[in-house]
Amino acid sequence: MPYTRDAACGYGKMEQHVNRGERFHMSGCGISLDISLWLSLENYQLTFVSGEGGVGVRVAIIYRLHPTKKNGLKAADFFKEFSGFVDSLATNSGHLLILDTEKLYSDIMQVICDPYNKTFTWEVKKKQMGRKQREAGKILIEEFGLPITVDDFCQQLNELQKKILPANTVLLPGAENLIRHLHKHKVPIAVASGSHIEDTELKFTKYKELFSLFHHSVCSSSDPDITQGKPAPDCFLVAAKRFPNSPDTEKVLVFEDAVNGVEGALAAGMQVVWVPDANIDKGSLAERATLVLDTLEDFQPELFGLPPYGDQN
Ligand SMILES: O=c1[nH]cc([C@@H]2O[C@H](COP(=O)(O)O)[C@@H](O)[C@H]2O)c(=O)[nH]1
């Protein structure tokens, strides 16, 4: 698609070319798009794409410069400037696995790594996801050789989570629909998380009513009945036991994004729908999970003997 202006706006080039209020017009392949760019905050750019000629697109793309030594930006700048802004954009709870917190965790991990000039990676993240707080801290410290203790890690993590999670957490596509559907049809549902109960509450700050639809939540980092976090099966077994009729494990269906969580659910003898991030290498786990989906929006309840969407009864 040709631009009517020279400046191609690949992410790398955008840094050099964008000025406040600048507009691009792209056309070709029967599609015509208007892209307006402006620096809405000191270090971030907001892009609106709107379609013309029968193309119904209205997308807001938020772009932030990648923190480098050269531009002097740190991942922490993101939080300072951005949380209120994202909050105002994320008011559409209808649209927007349940909560999209993994990007926030990655930024928090990068802030903890920043003083030691280490770059947080998906390889390390994959090992941490779903784990209890202290176990996740141990992994970060060992993988990057950080000169801090697990207690230091937990203290920093808790401070950052309090600042970041309440305003910035948004629902992932398909999550709200699924929770309301199961609740409406009286299918008992619970949260089984690696987090501390306080973090789970921080994450649901904007979605208290939705959170109330869960019968209970098991939070591995603070629950006295959980000795081992994911990938151990404990949190899933305890979550199942706490339903009034304590269902047999093979009748429980788990929704997971973390590799550790899928391993835990399988070890508990449960069925598991895995919705992995695109950055996760699925490997042989994809064959062991009951079902692998790109998004919860693709979940079809009837495949598991549940009432289909749109069923009024
Ligand atoms: O990038 C990360 N993702 C996830 C975790 C860990 O995973 C938990 C979330 O697990 P769950 O998805 O089961 O709630 C977090 O509390 C944290 O301990 C982490 O440390 N770093």
Side-chain angles (χ1 to χ4, degrees), residues 114-126:
D114 269 347
Y116 314 104
N117 288 323
K118 302 285 181 192
T119 305
F120 186 60
T121 59
W122 265 97
E123 208 181 311
V124 176
K125 181 175 182 69
K126 191 170 142 181

Side-chain angles (χ1 to χ4, degrees), residues 252-274:
V252 178
L253 180 59
V254 173
F255 293 87
E256 259 297 345
D257 60 340
V259 170
N260 290 320
V262 178
E263 295 282 10
L266 292 173
M270 297 174 178
Q271 299 180 65
V272 56
V273 176
W274 187 21

Side-chain angles (χ1 to χ4, degrees), residues 135-179:
E135 289 165 10
K138 223 170 139 215
I139 290 169
L140 191 82
I141 291 166
E142 280 170 12
E143 292 281 340
F144 292 110
L146 304 183
I148 58 172
T149 63
V150 173
D151 286 333
D152 295 335
F153 168 88
C154 290
Q155 195 193 332
Q156 279 196 65
L157 177 69
N158 290 328
E159 277 169 22
L160 289 162
Q161 287 187 148
K162 278 196 194 96
K163 269 194 226 158
I164 292 149
L165 295 181
N168 296 305
T169 305
V170 290
L171 289 164
L172 279 167
E176 179 166 8
N177 200 23
L178 175 61
I179 294 166

Side-chain angles (χ1 to χ4, degrees), residues 145-290:
L146 304 183
I148 58 172
T149 63
V150 173
D151 286 333
D152 295 335
F153 168 88
C154 290
Q155 195 193 332
Q156 279 196 65
L157 177 69
N158 290 328
E159 277 169 22
L160 289 162
Q161 287 187 148
K162 278 196 194 96
K163 269 194 226 158
I164 292 149
L165 295 181
N168 296 305
T169 305
V170 290
L171 289 164
L172 279 167
E176 179 166 8
N177 200 23
L178 175 61
I179 294 166
R180 292 201 187 283
H181 179 74
L182 295 176
H183 182 260
K184 186 174 117 188
H185 290 279
K186 303 197 169 29
V187 179
I189 46 175
V191 173
S193 169
S195 301
H196 194 285
I197 177 69
E198 284 175 13
D199 307 333
T200 302
E201 283 166 2
L202 290 175
K203 290 185 222 178
F204 277 98
T205 305
K206 288 194 291 180
Y207 310 103
K208 287 207 172 81
E209 184 269 333
L210 193 65
F211 188 48
S212 75
L213 304 184
F214 290 99
H215 182 268
H216 58 271
S217 52
V218 175
C219 299
S220 307
S221 290
S222 54
D223 196 301
D225 289 344
I226 310 289
T227 328
Q228 285 183 287
K230 301 171 189 178
D234 307 27
C235 76
F236 298 111
L237 295 172
V238 170
K241 224 188 222 164
R242 289 186 188 164
F243 285 118
N245 66 347
S246 300
D248 294 338
T249 54
E250 68 271 16
K251 289 194 183 147
V252 178
L253 180 59
V254 173
F255 293 87
E256 259 297 345
D257 60 340
V259 170
N260 290 320
V262 178
E263 295 282 10
L266 292 173
M270 297 174 178
Q271 299 180 65
V272 56
V273 176
W274 187 21
V275 191
D277 189 285
N279 289 295
I280 291 183
D281 169 23
K282 296 192 206 56
S284 59
L285 194 56
E287 277 122 60
R288 291 167 55 222
T290 318

Side-chain angles (χ1 to χ4, degrees), residues 43-44 64-77 81 114:
N43 296 313
Y44 303 96
R64 75 174 152 132
L65 304 182
H66 191 69
T68 59
K69 276 195 193 132
K70 205 170 146 208
N71 65 24
L73 292 175
K74 298 259 178 224
D77 297 329
E81 286 188 16
D114 269 347

